[in-house]
Amino acid sequence: MRSSSGRGLQPNVLSTFDTIVMAVAGSAPAYSIAATTAVLVASVGLAGPAALLYCAIPMLGIVLAFRRLGRIDINAGASYSWVGRTLHPFLGFLSGWALVVSATIFMVAGSLPAGAMTLALFDPSLAENTVLATAVGAAWFLAMLLVVLGGARLTVRAQLLMSGVELAILLFFILAALLHNGTAAAFDWSWLGFSHFDGASGFASGALIATFYYWGWDVTSNLSEETRNSRRTAGLAALVGVGVVFLLFEAYTIAVNVTLTAEDIRAGGSNVLGALGEAIWPGVGGKLLVVAVLLSTVATLETTLIQVTRSLFAMGRDRSMPAALGTVHHRWNTPWVAIAVVGAVALAMFVASTALGSVGDVLAAAVAAIGLQIAFYYGLAGIAAVVAYRRTLLTSVRDFVLGGAWPLLGALFMLWIFFESLGELSAASTAIGLGGLAVGLVPMIVYWRQGSAYYRPARLDATLAMETRESYANSASRHPDSADKSLATDF
């Protein structure tokens, strides 16, 4: 299939603003709050705000790691490429595989609430019908699959509409919550401390769930080959996106603590925001926040589809997975084979999910399992950034803190909660989380034995990469007609 960029994906489609919108949508503020608050409260009680706060600090270290790695290697596979070129190709493949598995699981975990929320707008009693919710959720998933297939421009336009309305509703209810007298509990600064955690393992369980809240901002890195000036834009957008969703998560988690009792939260399940909206504005508020959650869910389905399909595209291009996955549609410049494969697998999982119980049961097991996989590949990316920039870390205090200490802190934190939380998870969550990673060993070994060039990488070193870029820029300035405007990827 032809491509305008030589690699298949269409370059320079997304602006800085577009990418920021994608970062916010990737973390899905309304969906994360609605789908995960009940799980977080069940794990840490009133310490939800603290779990989100103390997870945000190391998470910013991972954002910095992605930002710095994206400056020296523009690749749709992101951590798959970076970890493979700095630590080891096996770890790189498993890092990319962890994203693929977690994103595919999310197709179910995200689509079920979308179906349930749609039904709740018409008849709340239908929302707990798992089969019906699955069918409606699958319809939303297929709609987003077609949007993603249609190309990056169509994807961004749909995202601007959905996320714009979602954020407007969320900001309105934050102001309304400030004016509303909560009836469950008075605000207490201890909610931001450590006193409500049940030891180190309890804190790790809460942090693992908080990691799921933030997950998704790294879609900016998977879109780097399609973004203008992506060496700067992707990382900046991720920083802004995480900052925005952190404020929203904290505000709403505190509002839930103040307004809803533990019984209300358990009863609300995956519709906690609907219960909060009803308490703040009876008769209307619940419906409006359900609309916000629905839009957020559909929007994050779109960004997650981008992440998994771009990752599979990079793997297919490298021949570390079937080469067909690297095939790009001649008109839309999208990895249509990867999109079709993800769609087929996700639809099969929709059918299987109906045997797992209620919407709430499916969500609880999926959130924790996805958290394990996220912590795994975020942790490896943080270490990769330190290794790639190791020769520059002592050149200034700024480089030491932002390029070494903070990313390393984030990496160690992610890996710590990965191992510490294993003993606290249910058998289903552990099986999904670790089993999903283990399955990746099969294609990894198969394509390694077939001699994929991915397993003989050019080492990623920031000093050498920057010297190469400078030399390339000087050559391009002397001979502007003989050089391309930019380097799409770095191999």
Side-chain angles (χ1 to χ4, degrees):
M1 296 274 178
R2 68 177 175 84
S3 104
S4 58
S5 69
R7 294 287 182 182
L9 300 176
Q10 186 174 2
N12 302 321
V13 176
L14 305 180
S15 67
T16 300
F17 178 74
D18 296 334
T19 314
I20 290 173
V21 171
M22 298 299 281
V24 173
S27 292
Y31 166 78
S32 297
I33 297 165
T36 319
T37 297
V39 182
L40 185 64
V41 170
S43 178
V44 297
L46 293 172
L52 290 166
L53 171 63
Y54 297 121
C55 187
I57 297 171
M59 183 64 73
L60 282 174
I62 303 302
V63 176
L64 290 171
F66 270 70
R67 185 183 188 188
R68 292 172 72 84
L69 288 166
R71 288 176 179 173
I72 58 175
D73 182 13
I74 299 174
N75 193 295
S79 62
Y80 154 79
S81 173
W82 303 332
V83 174
R85 294 180 62 188
T86 53
L87 303 183
H88 194 281
F90 286 177
L91 291 176
F93 182 87
L94 289 177
S95 179
W97 183 260
L99 188 153
V100 168
V101 172
S102 57
T104 306
I105 294 172
F106 179 79
M107 300 307 169
V108 176
S111 298
L112 284 176
M117 292 293 171
T118 303
L119 295 170
L121 288 174
F122 300 97
D123 185 350
S125 65
L126 294 177
E128 286 303 312
N129 185 322
T130 303
V131 174
L132 191 56
T134 300
V136 177
W140 277 116
F141 170 76
L142 288 173
M144 289 302 99
L145 199 74
L146 293 175
V147 170
V148 171
L149 180 63
R153 294 187 190 280
L154 177 61
T155 299
V156 169
R157 288 169 184 164
Q159 197 61 255
L160 287 171
L161 175 62
M162 293 184 292
S163 295
V165 176
E166 172 203 353
L167 290 177
I169 295 173
L170 289 178
L171 291 174
F172 171 79
F173 274 91
I174 287 176
L175 297 176
L178 291 174
L179 301 175
H180 181 263
N181 293 322
T183 57
F187 172 76
D188 193 323
W189 285 105
S190 69
W191 296 348
L192 298 171
F194 289 94
S195 59
H196 293 284
F197 292 112
D198 184 18
S201 60
F203 174 72
S205 297
L208 189 71
I209 296 167
T211 300
F212 176 79
Y213 272 80
Y214 292 109
W215 176 54
W217 53 264
D218 49 312
V219 66
T220 61
S221 296
N222 297 106
L223 284 167
S224 60
E225 295 184 34
E226 299 157 88
T227 303
R228 292 196 291 272
N229 190 22
S230 64
R231 295 185 194 277
R232 171 186 175 275
T233 301
L236 174 63
L239 281 171
V240 174
V242 170
V244 170
V245 297
F246 165 72
L247 294 175
L248 289 172
F249 290 155
E250 286 290 356
Y252 271 90
T253 306
I254 291 172
V256 166
N257 280 0
V258 169
T259 307
L260 303 178
T261 65
E263 290 74 19
D264 294 333
I265 295 170
R266 280 194 294 271
S270 60
N271 192 26
V272 167
L273 271 188
L276 178 66
E278 190 65 26
I280 292 175
W281 188 1
V284 178
K287 295 283 187 182
L288 280 177
L289 279 178
V290 165
V291 170
V293 175
L294 177 59
L295 290 172
S296 178
T297 306
V298 175
T300 198
L301 277 176
E302 183 184 85
T303 60
T304 307
L305 273 167
I306 289 173
Q307 282 195 280
V308 68
T309 55
R310 267 44 174 192
S311 295
L312 287 172
F313 164 76
M315 290 174 165
R317 182 172 62 187
D318 291 347
R319 306 297 194 272
S320 62
M321 288 282 280
L325 295 173
T327 304
V328 174
H329 193 278
H330 71 282
R331 177 182 177 185
W332 299 317
N333 294 102
T334 51
W336 70 272
V337 176
I339 291 171
V341 169
V342 170
V345 171
L347 288 175
M349 292 176 64
F350 287 138
V351 175
S353 70
T354 59
L356 297 178
S358 69
V359 172
D361 295 335
V362 174
L363 278 175
V367 164
I370 291 172
L372 276 179
Q373 291 153 356
I374 298 167
F376 177 77
Y377 85 82
Y378 276 178
L380 290 178
I383 295 174
V386 177
V387 173
Y389 279 87
R390 63 191 180 280
R391 299 183 185 179
T392 68
L393 296 182
L394 299 180
T395 57
S396 69
V397 173
R398 181 176 183 273
D399 281 320
F400 177 77
V401 174
L402 300 183
W406 207 342
L408 183 60
L409 167 67
L412 295 177
F413 181 83
M414 292 297 164
L415 295 176
W416 174 73
I417 62 176
F418 176 88
F419 290 107
E420 185 69 25
S421 61
L422 284 176
E424 300 293 317
L425 296 180
S426 68
S429 294
T430 304
I432 294 171
L434 296 184
L437 284 175
V439 170
L441 295 173
V442 176
M444 183 185 77
I445 294 173
V446 168
Y447 286 92
W448 168 62
R449 290 177 63 86
Q450 289 183 6
S452 167
Y454 173 77
Y455 295 101
R456 302 185 302 276
R459 305 301 295 175
L460 186 60
D461 182 284
T463 304
L464 295 177
M466 288 186 285
E467 289 174 353
T468 301
R469 284 172 53 198
E470 183 177 351
S471 174
Y472 179 85
N474 291 336
S475 175
S477 65
R478 290 194 299 269
H479 308 285
D481 296 329
S482 64
D484 212 2
K485 296 284 185 185
S486 62
L487 291 171
T489 54
D490 306 277
F491 287 92

